[in-house]
Amino acid sequence: MKTISELLEAATAQAVPVVRGIGDDQLADGTPCSDYDVRALLNHLFLVIENFRVLAAKGSTDFSREEDVVTGDWRGRFDDGTALLVKAWAEPGAEEGTTGGMRMPARAVGLMVLGDLVVHAWDLARATGQDFVPDPAVVTELEPGLAALAPQAREMKVFGDPFPVPPGATAFERVLAVTGRDPGWRPSRG
């Protein structure tokens, strides 16, 4: 079994090019997350990365904060933020015990941020016409992890209702579907 930091490192290697590939003219475009346009989803992802870095150190977080951080060199800050996230989860004890105010097993919390990073990288790639194929080892860990978290995530309104996929769906299509996403989502161009 790979550590959360190893999995995050693999996921980051694929998420960073997606974020770097987003044009400023695409920030108002829609995403598979119907509540978010590209800018709002990037702001959400920055907040997730920061908060889950703090959770790795068993600190307290504030997920209610809202601010627009997609300014200046936001692509470079994304690179830096994901590197700090990987480093935080590589610290001794990060995967042990429970995390801060969430009071959940640390590894489960690590899988949550891994899921956010991978699924939102896919959201952003789809929204901006980029390719995104997640690391197979990451998907192998995410599929059972997110399936186990799904009932609680739906209760918290973090996941939508599961999207129906055919029996031959890939593991990643099943991951997307368990979060409530249509794996075939494409942007509507008017």
Side-chain angles (χ1 to χ4, degrees), residues 67-136:
E67 60 185 285
D68 186 8
V69 296
V70 183
T71 60
D73 182 21
W74 56 270
R75 292 169 189 90
R77 285 196 322 277
F78 185 81
D79 293 4
D80 296 343
T82 53
L84 290 171
L85 177 71
V86 170
K87 185 178 180 198
W89 282 94
E91 290 295 321
E95 288 190 47
E96 297 168 10
T98 58
T99 59
M102 292 183 91
R103 306 221 189 302
M104 291 178 65
R107 185 159 175 96
V109 171
L111 287 172
M112 289 170 68
V113 70
L114 181 67
D116 265 349
L117 185 59
V118 171
V119 172
H120 290 322
W122 177 85
D123 290 333
L124 292 166
R126 277 295 165 102
T128 59
Q130 300 180 66
D131 290 328
F132 180 78
V133 179
D135 184 291

Side-chain angles (χ1 to χ4, degrees), residues 3-105:
T3 66
I4 292 296
S5 65
E6 290 170 325
L7 294 165
L8 283 169
E9 188 170 24
T12 294
Q14 293 170 319
V16 164
V18 169
V19 170
R20 285 200 164 276
I22 297 170
D24 289 340
D25 62 331
Q26 296 176 306
L27 294 174
D29 290 355
T31 72
C33 275
S34 58
D35 293 344
Y36 296 111
D37 64 11
V38 171
R39 177 184 291 277
L41 188 54
L42 283 164
N43 280 314
H44 168 74
L45 193 51
F46 271 101
L47 182 64
V48 163
I49 288 166
E50 180 184 325
N51 280 328
F52 278 89
R53 181 181 49 78
V54 172
L55 287 169
K58 312 296 190 262
S60 297
T61 57
D62 179 7
F63 281 94
S64 68
R65 230 180 58 233
E66 287 186 32
E67 60 185 285
D68 186 8
V69 296
V70 183
T71 60
D73 182 21
W74 56 270
R75 292 169 189 90
R77 285 196 322 277
F78 185 81
D79 293 4
D80 296 343
T82 53
L84 290 171
L85 177 71
V86 170
K87 185 178 180 198
W89 282 94
E91 290 295 321
E95 288 190 47
E96 297 168 10
T98 58
T99 59
M102 292 183 91
R103 306 221 189 302
M104 291 178 65

Side-chain angles (χ1 to χ4, degrees), residues 131-169:
D131 290 328
F132 180 78
V133 179
D135 184 291
V138 170
V139 175
T140 297
E141 288 289 329
L142 276 182
E143 188 176 12
L146 292 185
L149 293 168
Q152 183 179 3
R154 281 191 198 94
E155 210 173 276
M156 296 168 64
K157 307 280 189 244
V158 175
F159 286 3
D161 290 331
F163 189 86
V165 290

